[in-house]
Structures are given as C-alpha cells and as structure tokens.
C-alpha cells in the first residue's frame, strides 16, 4: 500500500503522543506516516466492554481507513485517569499481530525502566490471525507513574484491529524472574489489581473476536 505523508497531521499527533504516554506509542508512529486517500470505509467490530465500572467514550474518530475509540470509566478524568480502553483499526503496513506487539514493546522499552512482558499467545480464528500480550512499564520516563498494558491484535486482510486495556499506576519494580511487583500500598488493593489484569487477559483471549457491526457510538460532546 502506498502511503502519502501528510505533514499537517504531525504536530497534532506529536502533542497527543506526549500527553497520552504509553497507549499511543507505536500506533501514533504508524498513523503519522499518513493515510491513503482511497481507503475503503473502516470495518466495524462488536466489542463487549470488560466488566467493572461503566465506561464512557472520550474520543471517537473514523476516516481514511483509520478508526480510533478511547474510553475511560465514569468518575475518572481525562488527565488523572487510572484505567483506559483503546480500540483502533488501521493499515497493517506489512506487520503480523506478533510483529505489531513487538513494535509496541520496543517503543515502550525505550521509555520505561524497568520493562517486561508476559503471556504472549497467538492463534487463528475464522481465518484471522491474532496475538495477545501484556506489557509492564515500571516507570514511564521521568514521570511519577508506570503502566500495565494488555493488548490483543487481530489481522483482518491488510488491516490490524487492536484492543488495548491500560492501567496507569504508581511506579513499580520487576524482579529477577521478570515478574512485575505491583504494590498499591495495601495487599487488598494489590490483589484486586492483579485479579483485574487476569480477568482482562481472559476477556481479550476469550471474548474479543470479529463480530457483527456494533451500534453507533455518539462522539463525546465538547465542553463549553
């Protein structure tokens, strides 16, 4: 696929990457390469949102072969969220699901210390290859937080469909065996977080699959 560079998009995406941190590393780099002018309409997928707090859409964009949906729980703010859900579909630029996860991991590893991954699984369903993995970013650059990012990637023709669940957490360490030491201050909170991560990975593996078009999502309203 021949991609056309659109310089006018670079400043906006660069600012968004700096604000958003882990969730758009790598994906933003792909989008800044530009979008083909003759792309067909984006395919829609039915995505059962994970259990837990009610999710609200805070960003929704679609066009030129790219679809971007972003959710945070009700009660959490855009600047101080802990939980985020990202759904995207875009041209694969020749990458398999495993290669895309490796691309994201490389981008995170360059900004995170310590950094580790776990749970890489891959397979095929209804003729579409997929892969799932969880990344642990102990501290993002010099900021006072790190990330846990669970992702599933499905390749659909020459597009990738990416579902990402992100937790923004206080800085944490990684032990000698490569296991993240997630400590939220109390054993109960830490155990609840670990259960949430495990449940999310099961949700990605068992429930996030191709499906019928979802109902239309109303774009977030601008605040006056």
């Amino acid at each position: 696929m021949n991609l056309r560079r659109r310089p006018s998009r670079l400043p906006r995406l660069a600012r968004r990457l700096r604000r958003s941190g882990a969730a758009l590393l790598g994906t933003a780099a792909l989008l800044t390469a530009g979008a083909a002018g003759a792309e067909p309409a984006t395919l829609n997928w039915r995505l059962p949102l994970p259990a837990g707090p009610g999710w609200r859409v805070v960003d929704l964009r679609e066009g030129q072969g790219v679809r971007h949906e972003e959710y945070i729980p009700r009660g959490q703010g855009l600047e101080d969220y802990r939980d985020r859900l990202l759904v995207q579909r875009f041209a694969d630029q020749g990458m398999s699901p495993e290669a895309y996860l490796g691309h994201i991991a490389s981008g995170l590893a360059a900004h995170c210390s310590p950094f580790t991954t776990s749970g890489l699984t891959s397979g095929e369903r209804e003729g579409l290859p997929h892969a799932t993995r969880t990344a642990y970013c102990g501290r993002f650059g010099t900021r006072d937080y790190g990330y846990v990012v669970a992702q599933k990637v499905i390749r659909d023709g020459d597009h990738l469909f990416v579902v990402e669940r992100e937790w923004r957490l206080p800085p944490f360490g990684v032990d000698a065996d490569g296991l993240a030491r997630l400590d939220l201050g109390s054993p109960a909170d830490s155990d609840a977080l670990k259960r949430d991560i495990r449940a999310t990975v099961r949700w990605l593996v068992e429930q996030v699959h191709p499906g019928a078009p979802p109902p239309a999502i109303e774009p977030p309203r601008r605040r006056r």
Side-chain angles (χ1 to χ4, degrees):
M1 181 182 303
N2 293 323
L3 298 181
R4 201 161 38 119
R5 184 172 294 276
R6 300 182 63 189
S8 60
R9 298 183 61 195
L10 291 173
R12 177 172 61 83
L13 283 168
R15 287 195 299 271
R16 180 167 182 78
L17 176 58
R18 286 195 295 271
R19 285 198 309 269
S20 300
L24 294 183
L25 273 173
T27 300
L30 293 175
L31 298 183
T32 55
E39 275 295 312
T42 317
L43 288 183
N44 290 317
W45 297 65
R46 182 180 298 281
L47 180 68
L49 295 180
W55 295 86
R56 63 187 178 99
V57 62
V58 294
D59 194 3
L60 174 61
R61 286 171 279 131
E62 183 168 14
Q64 296 181 309
V66 175
R67 182 174 177 87
H68 175 101
E69 302 172 34
E70 192 172 334
Y71 303 80
I72 61 175
R74 299 186 184 280
Q76 296 187 26
L78 291 174
E79 300 300 326
D80 60 352
Y81 71 88
R82 192 198 80 154
D83 306 275
R84 178 162 60 175
L85 181 66
L86 187 70
V87 183
Q88 293 181 315
R89 184 179 182 272
F90 49 88
D92 63 20
Q93 302 203 21
M95 287 192 292
S96 66
E98 293 88 350
Y100 177 79
L101 289 175
H103 175 74
I104 292 295
S106 296
L108 280 171
H111 292 81
C112 298
S113 180
F115 176 78
T116 190
T117 63
S118 68
L120 176 64
T121 63
S122 59
E124 187 172 302
R125 181 185 174 97
E126 299 180 15
L128 306 180
H130 61 81
T132 306
R133 183 163 64 181
T134 305
Y136 298 86
C137 169
R139 182 188 289 270
F140 187 77
T142 59
R143 302 178 190 181
D144 60 350
Y145 53 79
Y147 291 100
V148 175
V149 182
Q151 289 184 308
K152 181 168 186 175
V153 185
I154 302 171
R155 186 169 183 173
D156 171 23
D158 57 359
H159 282 73
L160 293 179
F161 174 73
V162 181
V163 178
E164 176 180 306
R165 173 71 160 88
E166 172 194 315
W167 295 260
R168 188 165 67 177
L169 304 169
F172 57 86
V174 174
D175 64 23
D177 294 324
L179 299 176
R181 299 195 303 270
L182 301 174
D183 183 3
L184 296 185
S186 77
D189 289 344
S190 299
D191 289 344
L193 171 64
K194 294 172 185 176
R195 286 195 300 271
D196 194 17
I197 294 172
R198 289 194 295 270
T200 296
V201 172
R202 287 197 302 272
W203 167 73
L204 289 171
V205 171
E206 298 173 4
Q207 298 186 44
V208 176
H209 301 302
I217 299 176
E218 182 180 349
R221 296 180 179 178
R222 294 183 178 273
R223 294 181 178 179
R224 295 184 178 179

